[in-house]
Amino acid sequence: MTATSHKIMLGSGTLLLLLATVLAAWLMQPFWLLLPVGALGLFLLLQHPAALFYVLLFSIPWSVEYNFPSGLGTDLPDEPLMLLTSLATVAMLLFYRKQLTIQKLHALVFVLLVQIAWLVMTVVLSTHFILSAKYLLAKSWYLLAFFVAPLLLWQEEKILKRSLVILFGSMLLVVVVTMVRHATMGFTFSSINDALAPFFRNHVNYSALLVFMLPLQVLFLKQAKSKWLRSMLLLLFLVTLPALYFSFARGAWLALITGAGAYWLLKKRWLLKSFVLVIFLLIAVVFWLRHNNRYIEFAHDYQTTIFHENFGEHITATYQLKDMSTAERFYRWIAGVRMVEDSWQTGFGPSTFYRHYKGYTVPAFKTWVSRNEEQSTVHNYFLLLLIEQGAVGLILFLLLLGMLFWYAQKIYHRTADVVWKGGVATIAAILVMQCTLNFLSDLIETDKVGSVFFLCIAALIIADKATRIRKYE
């Protein structure tokens, strides 16, 4: 920052302090004095923007859901930190716009911009405009905090590496705390959610973030230069693998398998082909079940579909289609598919599934928890996009995923740099895990899982740029 800029900032700060003091005295409201404090904080963040980003990443595993008396819900402290990081990111773009290198718009950025444009369209046409507008606002600071900010900051590889270590280290601390608390409860299936409180709503969110840490551990282990560090990282597996097992989350276990498979597919150049094949297989299954209402044949027995506190019984009930969570998924998926038939073009609007789906349910698939008092959604992010943002919304998301896999495959086989090669393999594994988990849940919009998804996109763009530069040097 130049001497002239410093003088402007100092003068502006002085005027703001005087104005805030006058307002505080005149209106007898001391909170006006927070204005210059906030301005000072923003100035410091512009000087050291990575510091705020580090704090945000560290806060993700520890954040708790909080509902104000007014009914407004948020995640503390990471959502206010997201907002602050978003403001700091906008400020960085404004203050340092002349220093920013103007480059050709990356294809992944372009697809994200088109997604946002379509999202705005679905908000305008939404059946519940206020709910959808709130979703759009939240989406904007997710993208600014976890996509734009790292794109700016991770131009320095040391900041990228520190970010990964901070996120992993923070999650590891939560895992240790959880394991100790869970041990006092006997490591039982019925007590896992209690052991996680208040940092995670349930074992699904916890296991999702935990399973993403395993590819990072593999990356750290492969790139560790000292024997002592490798020994420490191997020791950490004795914490994280049992923690994943005792999370009792079937989706995360499946994600671990598909994530491991992603490494093999990446090496064989089959990652993108496999993704496309899975899409066509799933479409074929949906049409097969829909033909002559064949899905009715798979209706469960309402009386025997219950929640099992014993995990062995829970697993048995799962493959017998008698587990309550699995049955409830079918109940909502069927309702969701029927909703699509009424509004496949633009959808019902973001955050509107709960307001409409009960009129589309099939009573034969009803379960003991179908009252849905927690107002959760369809438990399939792909279907949720189709319901709320129409066919275009889903196609754009699938296009984004396909491009992510294409870039990962391309970069992996283009570069000889072991650091970026390992990094891209890690990104590919986490993205496949994201697809697996979000087929069984809708977690992209959550702070614990959505943050990692957008960080992966930013990291892949950085990897593409770095490996192209090094190839032609």
Side-chain angles (χ1 to χ4, degrees):
M1 189 175 286
T2 64
T4 303
S5 299
H6 273 292
K7 290 179 181 179
I8 293 173
M9 293 291 289
L10 181 60
S12 301
T14 303
L15 288 174
L16 183 60
L17 177 61
L18 289 173
L19 178 62
T21 304
V22 170
L23 286 171
W26 180 264
L27 300 174
M28 291 186 290
Q29 295 288 345
F31 70 82
W32 285 102
L33 293 173
L34 293 175
L35 281 175
V37 175
L40 176 62
L42 185 60
F43 174 74
L44 292 174
L45 290 173
L46 288 172
Q47 295 296 307
H48 307 284
L52 174 62
F53 188 66
Y54 293 151
V55 173
L56 172 60
L57 292 179
F58 187 86
S59 73
I60 290 171
W62 298 94
S63 290
V64 301
E65 295 182 8
Y66 183 80
N67 292 303
F68 292 96
S70 62
L72 177 66
T74 188
D75 297 292
L76 298 176
D78 67 356
E79 196 151 10
L81 287 169
M82 277 184 232
L83 186 55
L84 188 57
T85 303
S86 299
L87 293 173
T89 301
V90 172
M92 277 193 291
L93 290 171
L94 292 174
F95 277 94
Y96 300 122
R97 60 187 182 277
K98 292 182 179 178
Q99 292 97 316
L100 293 174
T101 305
I102 299 175
Q103 298 176 332
K104 184 180 177 181
L105 190 67
H106 197 279
L108 291 172
V109 177
F110 177 76
V111 173
L112 277 170
L113 290 174
V114 175
Q115 274 191 302
I116 295 168
W118 179 253
L119 176 59
V120 172
M121 177 71 72
T122 60
V123 170
V124 172
L125 300 174
S126 174
T127 55
H128 294 272
F129 177 77
I130 299 299
L131 288 175
S132 298
K134 288 180 180 178
Y135 172 93
L136 178 60
L137 286 173
K139 188 79 170 184
S140 65
W141 62 65
Y142 263 73
L143 286 168
L144 283 167
F146 294 120
F147 177 67
V148 181
L151 272 184
L152 296 175
L153 297 172
W154 287 353
Q155 302 296 327
E156 295 184 49
E157 287 185 22
K158 65 179 181 180
I159 297 180
L160 170 57
K161 292 177 180 178
R162 286 174 189 166
S163 299
L164 299 180
V165 171
I166 287 170
L167 179 59
F168 172 74
S170 180
M171 184 59 191
L172 185 63
L173 290 174
V174 171
V175 168
V176 171
V177 170
T178 299
M179 289 288 280
V180 171
R181 294 174 67 184
H182 202 193
T184 64
M185 302 172 185
F187 286 117
T188 60
F189 173 51
S190 58
S191 65
I192 179 60
N193 288 341
D194 293 330
L196 292 168
F199 307 117
F200 290 84
R201 173 183 289 189
N202 53 48
H203 66 140
V204 174
N205 298 61
Y206 166 72
S207 63
L209 188 54
L210 177 57
V211 79
F212 297 154
M213 297 301 108
L214 289 171
L216 276 181
Q217 282 185 273
V218 174
L219 176 66
F220 294 157
L221 184 61
K222 286 187 174 181
Q223 298 186 3
K225 295 180 180 179
S226 69
K227 184 177 179 180
W228 177 87
L229 183 56
R230 283 194 295 272
S231 299
M232 285 297 298
L233 289 168
L234 283 171
L235 185 62
L236 290 179
F237 270 101
L238 299 179
V239 178
T240 50
L241 283 176
L244 184 63
Y245 173 77
F246 286 116
S247 70
F248 298 114
R250 298 157 296 176
W253 295 354
L254 180 60
L256 180 61
I257 296 171
T258 57
Y263 281 113
W264 185 78
L265 292 171
L266 187 67
K267 291 179 180 179
K268 296 292 184 179
R269 300 178 188 264
W270 292 347
L271 188 60
L272 178 58
K273 293 176 184 177
S274 300
F275 174 67
V276 174
L277 177 62
V278 168
I279 291 173
F280 280 108
L281 285 175
L282 290 173
I283 292 173
V285 169
V286 170
F287 276 100
W288 180 77
L289 290 170
R290 191 72 182 87
H291 182 66
N292 293 328
N293 293 330
R294 188 179 279 114
Y295 66 91
I296 294 293
E297 299 173 12
F298 297 91
H300 53 261
D301 183 352
Y302 180 82
Q303 295 298 328
T304 60
T305 305
I306 60 174
F307 174 76
H308 297 269
E309 292 192 354
N310 179 280
F311 190 65
E313 295 176 357
H314 184 62
I315 292 294
T316 302
T318 299
Y319 67 76
Q320 291 178 346
L321 302 182
K322 293 182 179 181
D323 166 54
M324 187 166 60
S325 62
T326 303
E328 181 63 18
R329 277 186 173 84
F330 292 157
Y331 179 69
R332 298 188 195 180
W333 289 356
I334 291 166
V337 172
R338 297 178 75 194
M339 289 173 71
V340 170
E341 295 173 0
D342 277 359
S343 188
W344 64 270
Q345 299 93 335
T346 58
F348 287 82
S351 294
T352 61
F353 170 80
Y354 176 77
R355 306 288 173 171
H356 297 282
Y357 87 98
K358 290 189 177 181
Y360 292 87
T361 56
V362 175
F365 288 85
K366 188 177 181 180
T367 71
W368 293 98
V369 294
S370 293
R371 292 176 63 182
N372 193 9
E373 294 176 353
E374 74 279 11
Q375 300 187 16
S376 56
T377 59
V378 73
H379 291 308
N380 183 311
Y381 187 71
F382 301 92
L383 180 55
L384 183 66
L385 281 175
L386 186 57
I387 295 165
E388 296 188 341
Q389 298 181 36
V392 175
L394 175 60
I395 290 170
L396 287 172
F397 184 69
L398 293 175
L399 176 63
L400 174 66
L401 288 174
M403 290 179 66
L404 288 169
F405 293 136
W406 182 80
Y407 271 107
Q409 197 166 274
K410 179 182 178 182
I411 297 166
Y412 181 85
H413 290 281
R414 178 177 67 198
T415 183
D417 188 317
V418 293
V419 174
W420 284 115
K421 206 174 188 72
V424 168
T426 301
I427 293 169
I430 293 176
L431 287 172
V432 170
M433 288 176 171
Q434 288 270 1
C435 289
T436 304
L437 290 166
N438 279 287
F439 185 79
L440 301 170
S441 300
D442 27 52
L443 302 171
I444 292 291
E445 314 305 339
T446 64
D447 58 334
K448 312 287 188 182
V449 177
S451 55
V452 177
F453 179 72
F454 294 118
L455 289 171
C456 283
I457 301 176
L460 197 59
I461 293 173
I462 296 293
D464 185 37
K465 175 187 173 184
T467 53
R468 276 191 285 111
I469 291 173
R470 292 178 187 181
K471 180 181 179 181
Y472 296 111
E473 281 181 347

